[in-house]
Amino acid sequence: MDLNIVGEIFMRNWPMFLRGAWVTFYVSIISTLIGAMIGLVVGVVKTMPEPTHGPGKWALKLIKIFFNIYIEVIRGTPMMVQAMVFYFGMPIAFGIDIPPLLSSFIIVSVNTGAYMAEIVRGGIISIDKGQFEAFDSIGMSHIQGMIYIILPQVIRNILPATGNEFIVNIKDTSVLNVIQVTELFFQTRSVAGANFRYFETFSITMVIYLIMTFTVTRLLRMVERKMDGPANFIMAGNQMQVVTPKIGDLND
């Protein structure tokens, strides 16, 4: 590989690479955040105890069945196929024409939500059952206990998996070129189609992907260390000193 040719290709087409990288990162971060919220809601609902009687029991059961179908369908089909079905199928089935960029947000968010739902569910069931019994014993509702006690621990525990999902989304957005989203892969294919230097052009793209994923990984590690806090904790005690009298003083 001639580095001079690589440098020349990059200098001539850096605006296209930059636009493609920005679209890739923008879609990835927004969709990951939305997908994490979807997964949080689905994961919490899937772990909710069902009422023993009443209409709420059957309503919750139906919701859980719907969420199970959603998770199995999304995790069992490729994102590229989902993108094709959604983008090209919606106008035919419902007469709704959704722009490519908005479609990409919906597709990646829904896809991420299915994976995050199982990550959140795993994080919840990993918490000691004694904590559930504790907040129940003091009269807290299930929602209150989840918000104030369980979820703060779950969010810290699933942070590495969430970061991994973000990195996967950065790479998987390349499949969105099939619905004409001008992300990094789409722009690279356009550049390579113009200069016919596929090896050098896609080598540049590989480096750009690596820079993005490496940067995100380092930032997430910093967030994890920040959430962990210091290794040693100093207990904040009473500042008043207690003087213990001597035995001789007591005899006096």
Side-chain angles (χ1 to χ4, degrees):
M1 180 174 61
D2 192 340
L3 295 180
N4 292 327
I5 295 178
V6 173
E8 182 180 351
I9 292 173
F10 180 77
M11 294 305 297
R12 285 183 177 180
N13 302 280
W14 69 264
M16 296 183 67
F17 287 115
L18 185 61
R19 285 196 298 270
W22 166 247
V23 172
T24 292
F25 187 78
Y26 182 61
V27 171
S28 299
I29 189 170
I30 298 299
S31 300
T32 302
L33 291 173
I34 297 174
M37 289 187 287
I38 294 173
L40 189 64
V41 172
V42 175
V44 169
V45 172
K46 283 176 60 66
T47 56
M48 289 181 63
E50 297 180 3
T52 55
H53 60 277
K57 175 182 179 180
W58 298 107
L60 184 58
K61 189 180 291 291
L62 289 175
I63 293 173
K64 287 184 177 182
I65 292 173
F66 172 76
F67 284 159
N68 286 332
I69 295 173
Y70 156 65
I71 292 171
E72 293 301 327
V73 170
I74 296 299
R75 294 201 307 167
T77 55
M79 187 188 293
M80 181 180 291
V81 176
Q82 296 166 13
M84 296 288 287
V85 170
F86 182 82
Y87 181 71
F88 294 106
M90 289 293 286
I92 298 174
F94 303 101
I96 303 174
D97 190 10
I98 302 178
L101 189 59
L102 180 58
S103 297
S104 67
F105 284 119
I106 297 173
I107 293 162
V108 180
S109 298
V110 171
N111 189 278
T112 303
Y115 289 93
M116 286 301 302
E118 289 300 285
I119 292 173
V120 171
R121 187 181 68 86
I124 292 174
I125 63 178
S126 68
I127 302 297
D128 187 81
K129 294 186 181 298
Q131 298 195 36
F132 293 87
E133 297 171 356
F135 73 68
D136 186 59
S137 65
I138 62 175
M140 297 179 68
S141 66
H142 183 77
I143 299 298
Q144 289 176 324
M146 293 296 291
I147 293 174
Y148 295 110
I149 298 176
I150 304 301
L151 288 183
Q153 302 176 67
V154 170
I155 291 174
R156 170 60 190 90
N157 292 339
I158 69 173
L159 188 60
T162 305
N164 183 65
E165 196 64 30
F166 183 20
I167 293 171
V168 169
N169 283 341
I170 291 177
K171 296 181 292 184
D172 283 357
T173 50
S174 60
V175 306
L176 298 174
N177 75 94
V178 299
I179 61 172
Q180 307 305 311
V181 177
T182 56
E183 42 72 52
L184 183 56
F185 182 84
F186 183 94
Q187 297 283 19
T188 305
R189 194 175 60 175
S190 300
V191 172
N195 59 29
F196 297 102
R197 307 290 301 203
Y198 286 89
F199 181 75
E200 291 84 355
T201 305
F202 277 95
S203 295
I204 295 172
T205 300
M206 184 174 64
V207 173
I208 295 173
Y209 274 119
L210 182 61
I211 292 172
M212 286 195 293
T213 55
F214 181 79
T215 303
V216 169
T217 301
R218 295 298 100 189
L219 291 175
L220 289 172
R221 292 283 171 82
M222 291 173 58
V223 174
E224 289 178 28
R225 288 194 295 268
K226 188 70 175 178
M227 294 185 69
D228 286 338
N232 298 318
F233 293 90
I234 300 176
M235 296 296 293
N238 194 337
Q239 298 300 319
M240 297 179 61
Q241 295 182 354
V242 179
V243 179
T244 304
K246 298 180 180 179
I247 296 178
D249 297 336
L250 292 176
N251 293 332
D252 294 339

